[in-house]
Amino acid sequence: MIQKFRWLCFGLALVAGSASAQTIESFEWLPDAAGSVARITFNANVRFLRQAPAASTATDLAQLSFQIVAAEDTVQLQTVEEGKRLKAIADAPDIDISYVPVARAQTKLISVRLGAKALLLVRQGSGARTIDLVFNARSAIPEGPKLPDMAEAAAERRYAVVLQSAAGGAAAATPRIPAEFQNYSVYTQSPAGSNGVGYELMLGYFKTEQDAEVVRQRALRTFPTASVRSLSAPPQVASAPVTATPLPAVTPNPATAAVQPKVEVNVSDSDGKGIDLLAQGQKAFKEDRLQDAVDAFNMVLMLPPNAYTPVAQELIGRTWEALERPDKAITEYELYARLYPQGEAIDRVNQRIKAIKGAMQIARAPGATKNKSDKKRLSATGSVSQYYYGGQTKTDSLVNIASGIDQQTLTRTNQSVVVSSWDATGKYETDESITKLVMRGSRSDNLSSASATSTATQGLVSAAYVDYRDIASRTDVRLGRQSAIGGSLFGLFDGVSMATPVWESYKLDAMIGVPANTLINAPQQRLMGVMLEADNLFEHWGGNVSLVDQTTEDISDRRAVGLEVRYFGETVSMYTQLDYDLNFNAINAMTIQGSTQGPYDTTITMLLDDRKAPSLQLSDALISSGQPSLSTLLQTMSLSQAQAMALATAAQARQAMVSVSRALSPKWQGSVDFRYSEVGALPAIGNFQAQPATGAQYNVSLQLTGSNLYSSRDINGFNVSLLNSATVNGTQLAYNNLTGFMDNIISVEPSIRYYTQVDNTQTKVSRISPGLRVSYKLNNRASLMAEGIYETSQTDGPTNHETSESYFFYFGYRYDFQ
């Protein structure tokens, strides 16, 4: 481990190259989240669209779709595959994500592979640059309209719902009954004609078949084979007697020891399987095998409801307390309180909820004394990867000329590049602080003959910094190449930043440094920025106000104020950003985006975005003037003239989108996307000719996604997209597939796209592109990947006919260390 950390330190000094940005900045567990949440943070504003399979289906292979709203060119034009991995935590599996950029694709895909099947809910994060993966988050999914009342009178009990049938002893595989069904009777019975072998898990009772069908539709989320059954005589629900068996005392947490109650739980052996599992859990608890205890109590909770279900519900909360997971303990205790408001343990459970919440509030208070363990931990995580990219194009052209038809054939190698990437984090933790050393970047070596006239090797560094966090004061200091703190600050910079709480719900961020990703080579650039951020100012609300000042040769290059307002709830999120440039007295960027998750795995997202491209700054005038610096430019014109030139260089770019997706059945999802985009005209300025506006462009995309159609791990996407604008009409048909074999050791991703368009000059273009990507896990750390794409296109115009064939491929490896 020490050698890994030294390697990181050496590498940090070695990679001082030019800057670039990978699309994914980080992937990490959120330590303070309620539940198990893994957050993907991007180097771009993104908008989550949908996931497959649906959130109500347990899976170990998934895909999430998103759109890049705004990003630097290095992100928009990225072609290199990215991958990141997280180790399992107590209640969530290993996660491996991979992102393969696709040129010209508006919808981007990230593949998610899990170490074990789990319920996964994907949603927009708390900001415009994050997407969250939430595990076992059924409570975060709205359950739809009010369910019908249960039929109370025996004469009215005409229908029931068969949740699940089993021919043998498969009770342990039964999912937990959702809390929304707590007001119905749940019972088991032997199937007709089975001679007592197997069981049927029933939910009742209902007056009409329509009422039963409403409940069946809701139950399909958890029980995909649920059906409605007509009853001739409703069975009686038996209750089991309970006798006393003591529960071992939970090891007291020093913060809550004063209010820790003594608990005794009563059980009997009238239900063999439930009592056996409960005894296993109690034994594991006593022997301090706490994770084994959680597993045993969970197995009791997955049995058909019986006398031991509420007992296990309480005990699993006690076990999470012993594991020092108060968030999980509260979740389980509150579920007990909802399901069993008259239960034998309700007083104890309410006492524990109150005690834990009180302890958590005390622990969060400024100056709170912590129990110091004097533990020091050194760790290193990350990955290295290397890929070879190759490709070639052959073009045949026929051109009408005065003397006849001229034919030309051109064959060229498009690329031959080796790309090496690294992503490494070293961490040193004590009870007082956390120090991290982070390094991310890539290096490309051009092996083609074109390297004689272009840069053969490029070093691309997207992060290289040291981060120190003082736990008591919650102050962060970061030094090196890093992403801007947000607000009105864009891109990467080399410098120092600091974040520290200033009041109970406020945090102050400050930074100073040199821009690392500049559109032009402006000399002597400096930037400073401050941001006041508020979280939980009101319930679920937050935001920030920021000020940035950037100079070039001591001339004010960019001075802007930014405002962000965000709402982040369990099912609804909204994000608004405004950037106003004080030098130009103009709005630089304005964004509103939001998403909501509704019943039946419905996701609705929207986006409105209006911005300058490139973003406003005085040095934009150097692009069209050809001058080497602002000081030289201002010798030839006034400041107002230079501002007018910079403003004329930036186009007005607008886009809007609405996307709706929902589950059509347990295996099928449907979605529709409506997109609008437009880029304004640019006047003739300096060395630039006038550029006409693109005009409004409209795109409608229909997507049908099938999951687990022919196996337990397959995702199939069928897409039709229609493009319409003043100059071109286009249609695309696409199919993509992701299938995992041998417990996801091998994954295969075939795809095919057909695109055709006709422009206003009656030139027709047709293009078909089949492709195949394969990945193979050598072990938990090493993987091999390869992809090949073949494309053939044909262009027919009034004066020319052209056909071309292209193929592109890459192959390589990725190694994760931790």
Side-chain angles (χ1 to χ4, degrees), residues 11 55 58 62 173 180 235 264 294 328 350 357 455 565 607 711 751 780 817:
E180 63 176 329
E264 290 189 353
V294 168
K328 295 292 295 181
N350 287 333
K357 287 185 176 181
T455 303
V565 178
L607 166 72
S711 71
S751 64
N780 286 334
F817 60 89

Side-chain angles (χ1 to χ4, degrees), residues 324-392:
E324 297 185 356
R325 288 297 307 270
D327 54 334
K328 295 292 295 181
I330 286 178
T331 298
E332 299 294 353
Y333 283 145
E334 289 181 340
L335 182 57
Y336 182 101
R338 290 198 304 271
L339 293 177
Y340 314 108
Q342 306 299 324
E344 178 269 339
I346 189 63
D347 291 337
R348 292 193 301 267
V349 165
N350 287 333
Q351 184 182 12
R352 296 311 308 138
I353 293 174
K354 182 178 180 180
I356 296 171
K357 287 185 176 181
M360 293 172 68
Q361 187 174 4
I362 293 172
R364 286 194 297 263
T369 302
K370 299 184 183 293
N371 179 39
K372 296 184 180 181
S373 60
D374 294 327
K375 290 183 180 178
K376 299 178 181 179
R377 292 188 297 166
L378 184 65
S379 62
T381 62
S383 66
V384 292
S385 62
Q386 196 167 47
Y387 301 94
Y388 173 78
Y389 289 82
Q392 193 174 74

Side-chain angles (χ1 to χ4, degrees), residues 245-249 267 274-297 300 315 319:
T245 294
L247 171 71
V267 297
I275 186 62
D276 288 345
L277 290 171
L278 209 55
Q280 290 176 24
Q282 289 180 305
K283 185 174 185 293
F285 190 103
K286 184 176 182 180
E287 296 173 356
D288 203 31
R289 294 182 288 109
L290 299 178
Q291 189 56 53
D292 291 341
V294 168
D295 295 340
F297 295 143
V300 177
L315 295 191
T319 310

Side-chain angles (χ1 to χ4, degrees), residues 87 140 404 572 748 779:
K87 291 184 66 175
V572 177
V748 180
N779 51 48

Side-chain angles (χ1 to χ4, degrees), residues 71 133 195 208 337 407 430 441 481 498 513 617 678 710 719 785:
L133 279 58
N195 295 321
T208 67
Q407 179 174 350
T430 69
R481 174 158 294 175
M498 182 187 72
Q617 52 190 35
E678 183 175 4
Y710 54 84
N719 179 271
M785 285 80 73

